[in-house]
Amino acid sequence: LHTLRGVLRNNPMYTRLVAGVMLSSLSLISFAFLTKHGIQNLGATTQDVAGFMVTLVVSTSVASLAIGYIGDHLGNAIALRFSTAAGVVSSVIVLTTRTIPALHTAFMLQGVFISGRIISSNNIVIEFCRPEERPMYLGLTNTLVALMAGTGPVVFGWLLEHTAMPYSGAFATAAAGGALGWLVLMTVRDPRHTACAQPAHPGEMC
């Protein structure tokens, strides 16, 4: 625990990254309830639900290629900001537009968001540390992010089931959390481009 606290204290850019990814994880609240919202509030049929899944799979596959390319050529920080913005826009669309085509767009953007989370959030972490420290950094990041990503949908699932909270409350929280995460990620400098030649701490910026 002392070592983990030291990592967060001595590597401020990495700490910002973790905070940004944790906050943007709230966008997954939207993803958790898109289908149920479509069925209950928009009258989505079985065929519509199947179409949502096709849209999600296709968008995730295509976005994975795009996110990988952006990460390789422009940096994983930019790729992560791009995918996080897609998650925010997805929640905003669901909040402001109540149609089946809009829900397809929301699923498509969630596919972009998920692709960025899978690819860039892990790739950028290893750029903040030495090779022998990668397991510790990845383990710390994924543990902290999982706490937020797993808790949010569970809490709002309970609230939607047992209180009068409308789906719009969950989607608004997802949009707000994602937007805050995006703002934090905008302050993270890509370690690949700005790291010192021989930093005192891994990922330390010049």
Side-chain angles (χ1 to χ4, degrees), residues 103-198:
L103 211 52
H104 275 282
T105 303
F107 269 104
M108 180 187 69
L109 292 171
Q110 283 290 327
V112 176
F113 171 63
I114 292 170
S115 296
R117 291 296 303 278
I118 293 173
I119 298 172
S120 294
S121 64
N122 284 322
N123 286 346
I124 194 172
V125 167
I126 64 176
E127 295 172 352
F128 278 100
C129 57
R130 294 184 290 268
E132 65 271 19
E133 295 176 320
R134 288 173 182 172
M136 179 181 67
Y137 271 70
L138 287 170
L140 175 60
T141 304
N142 290 329
T143 298
L144 293 175
V145 172
L147 290 174
M148 184 73 80
T151 302
V154 171
V155 170
F156 277 89
W158 187 91
L159 290 173
L160 290 169
E161 186 73 22
H162 296 91
T163 71
M165 173 182 282
Y167 281 94
S168 58
F171 296 140
T173 301
L180 286 174
W182 181 82
L183 289 174
V184 174
L185 290 173
M186 288 298 292
T187 70
V188 176
R189 288 176 286 177
D190 196 314
R192 186 195 311 177
H193 299 151
T194 57
C196 301
Q198 291 183 325

Side-chain angles (χ1 to χ4, degrees), residues 10-140:
N10 297 325
N11 201 330
M13 281 296 159
Y14 168 73
T15 302
R16 292 186 193 180
L17 170 71
V18 173
V21 175
M22 288 180 69
L23 286 169
S24 66
S25 295
L26 292 174
S27 291
L28 292 173
I29 294 172
S30 281
F31 178 66
F33 302 112
L34 284 178
T35 299
K36 192 172 182 181
H37 165 66
I39 294 172
Q40 291 189 353
N41 299 329
L42 305 182
T45 64
T46 303
Q47 289 180 329
D48 290 325
V49 172
F52 296 154
M53 296 302 101
V54 171
T55 297
L56 179 66
V57 170
V58 172
S59 64
T60 302
S61 301
V62 174
S64 294
L65 298 175
I67 292 294
Y69 181 88
I70 294 172
D72 286 341
H73 293 82
L74 300 178
N76 287 301
I78 292 177
L80 195 55
R81 293 168 194 156
F82 173 74
S83 61
T84 299
V88 175
V89 174
S90 173
S91 298
V92 172
I93 287 176
V94 180
L95 271 173
T96 57
T97 310
R98 296 173 60 86
T99 65
I100 296 298
L103 211 52
H104 275 282
T105 303
F107 269 104
M108 180 187 69
L109 292 171
Q110 283 290 327
V112 176
F113 171 63
I114 292 170
S115 296
R117 291 296 303 278
I118 293 173
I119 298 172
S120 294
S121 64
N122 284 322
N123 286 346
I124 194 172
V125 167
I126 64 176
E127 295 172 352
F128 278 100
C129 57
R130 294 184 290 268
E132 65 271 19
E133 295 176 320
R134 288 173 182 172
M136 179 181 67
Y137 271 70
L138 287 170
L140 175 60

